[in-house]
Amino acid sequence: MAFKRPKIALIGGGQIGGVLAQLCALRELGDVVMFDIVQDMPQGKTLDIAEASRIDGFDVKLSGTNSYEGIAGADICIVTAGLPRKPGMSRDDLLTTNANIIKQVAEGIKTYAPDSFVIVISNPLDAMVTLMKEVTGFPANRVFGQAGVLDSSRFATFIAWELGVSVKDVNALVLGGHGDTMVPLVRYANVNGCPVMELLEQKYGAEKAKEVMEEMVKRTRNAGGEVVALLKTGSAFYSPASAAIQMAEAVIKDEKRVLPVCALLNGEYGVKNLYVGVPVVLGANGVEKIIELKLNEEEQKMMDVSVNAVKGLVEDMKRLGFLS
């Protein structure tokens, strides 16, 4: 019986694309093809990574392409294509620019990788996943977005730093849209089963613990902007790439991971036909199950605000003529 390595297509050869290619190679997840419209750039990046294969001890095929034909037969497509918001650029400008890019990408994937799973990282995330699904026409279990894995990791990191514990033992979950209305679930945050709020109260007392948690929630919501402000040019790329790789690995290895993913809801959380970040079971069939948590009144209120923000984005996309 002949075994075939998975083929992973990275759409966009920028900073995130480069880290994605390297992580795919280091973990030997499959053969990698990087697509970008910039002539020779994806070829150069993948050659550079491939030339470290003896040192890093990986053996996969890496290639670059400037044509969608190069992604033919891909099993997974990870989409990073799009521009970051620039000074003076309105939300409509950004939506229009990136929607045009994602539309072309979706057509390319639909034509050359019709059986692939598609993980979207491009922003504004919730709107771009929605557009990807509509243009490809792929089933919802095969089109999903990366945001919650990254946002949850950021939240867990801040908790670990605050409590002086290993981040490996921190479980934290962020739901909702990928933006400043995201919903870090404080009640569910724990350190190997010990509720984070109890640990903070032991350290600071009840009142101060609440303030400290509020600051961590705020920092989580603004984490992307914090990195942008420090870098001056560009945005986060190491952590978004790692988050997308965790999702791709869950599908490739059929791990049945429970991860927060931007998935299409069909009545869960009181939301119908909208892409929102929720915990799902991620395995060989992509989004295999959506996990519906019982939210308390305060959490539900925050979730509603976040869902409405996503609805606003989708409405803008319809107004601009990108969605039916």
Side-chain angles (χ1 to χ4, degrees):
M1 182 180 173
F3 288 98
K4 176 181 156 284
R5 273 200 296 246
K7 181 174 179 178
I8 303 161
L10 310 176
I11 316 292
Q15 296 276 49
I16 298 179
V19 180
L20 282 170
Q22 188 177 35
L23 290 173
C24 282
L26 289 171
R27 296 191 186 195
E28 294 190 307
L29 291 184
D31 293 332
V32 176
V33 58
M34 181 190 286
F35 167 89
D36 201 283
I37 56 168
V38 179
Q39 205 65 31
D40 295 335
M41 187 262 277
Q43 290 88 339
K45 282 199 176 182
T46 50
L47 177 62
D48 190 18
I49 295 164
E51 287 171 350
S53 59
R54 178 66 186 87
I55 302 160
D56 287 326
F58 62 80
D59 193 357
V60 296
K61 189 178 166 195
L62 291 127
S63 61
T65 182
N66 301 116
S67 160
Y68 280 108
E69 289 174 24
I71 73 164
D75 298 290
I76 289 191
C77 298
I78 306 178
V79 180
T80 67
L83 299 176
R85 189 162 167 175
K86 292 173 182 167
M89 194 184 233
S90 73
R91 189 166 85 160
D92 277 7
D93 290 340
L94 181 69
L95 269 176
T96 302
T97 302
N98 283 353
N100 277 317
I101 293 168
I102 293 300
K103 209 173 170 187
Q104 286 177 1
V105 169
E107 293 287 4
I109 291 172
K110 183 183 179 181
T111 304
Y112 292 103
D115 299 319
S116 64
F117 293 88
V118 185
I119 300 171
V120 180
I121 307 181
S122 310
N123 281 317
L125 189 274
D126 309 276
M128 295 303 113
V129 186
T130 306
L131 182 60
M132 178 64 68
K133 162 83 173 75
E134 180 158 310
V135 177
T136 58
F138 290 179
N141 65 298
R142 288 206 277 126
V143 183
F144 40 95
Q146 188 291 110
V149 173
L150 171 59
D151 296 329
S152 299
S153 178
R154 285 168 166 166
F155 190 28
T157 302
F158 303 147
I159 289 168
W161 290 345
E162 181 58 47
L163 289 172
V165 298
S166 171
V167 73
K168 292 178 183 178
D169 294 329
V170 180
N171 299 303
L173 190 60
V174 178
L175 308 186
H178 185 51
D180 52 16
T181 62
M182 66 180 72
V183 186
L185 289 180
V186 173
R187 190 165 56 100
Y188 286 93
N190 68 82
V191 180
N192 259 358
C194 309
V196 167
M197 282 311 296
E198 277 188 35
L199 298 175
L200 285 173
E201 282 166 14
Q202 285 169 19
K203 185 176 178 180
Y204 293 116
E207 203 53 45
K208 171 80 170 159
K210 206 173 163 206
E211 284 173 31
V212 170
M213 177 52 83
E214 279 169 8
E215 275 307 305
M216 286 194 287
V217 165
K218 192 176 167 187
R219 191 176 182 188
T220 301
R221 286 177 171 148
N222 300 323
E226 185 180 357
V227 174
V228 168
L230 289 165
L231 289 176
K232 308 289 189 287
T233 54
S235 53
F237 55 96
Y238 292 112
S239 52
S242 289
I245 288 296
Q246 187 176 58
M247 292 166 66
E249 193 165 26
V251 175
I252 290 167
K253 296 183 178 178
D254 191 21
E255 290 178 333
K256 313 292 186 200
R257 292 294 304 272
V258 176
L259 299 171
V261 166
C262 184
L264 188 66
L265 299 186
N266 192 26
E268 300 90 353
Y269 295 91
V271 180
K272 213 165 174 55
N273 203 29
L274 200 68
Y275 270 95
V276 180
V278 293
V280 309
V281 175
L282 211 53
N285 290 313
V287 175
E288 298 188 352
K289 184 186 178 187
I290 288 168
I291 295 171
E292 194 166 7
L293 299 173
K294 285 182 180 170
L295 303 181
N296 63 27
E297 199 177 329
E298 187 189 355
E299 291 159 349
Q300 189 60 56
K301 205 184 255 184
M302 288 193 293
M303 189 68 163
D304 292 343
V305 168
S306 202
V307 166
N308 284 331
V310 174
K311 277 182 184 166
L313 271 177
V314 171
E315 287 306 317
D316 285 347
M317 293 277 285
K318 286 178 181 173
R319 176 173 53 79
L320 294 165
F322 290 104
L323 292 170
S324 57

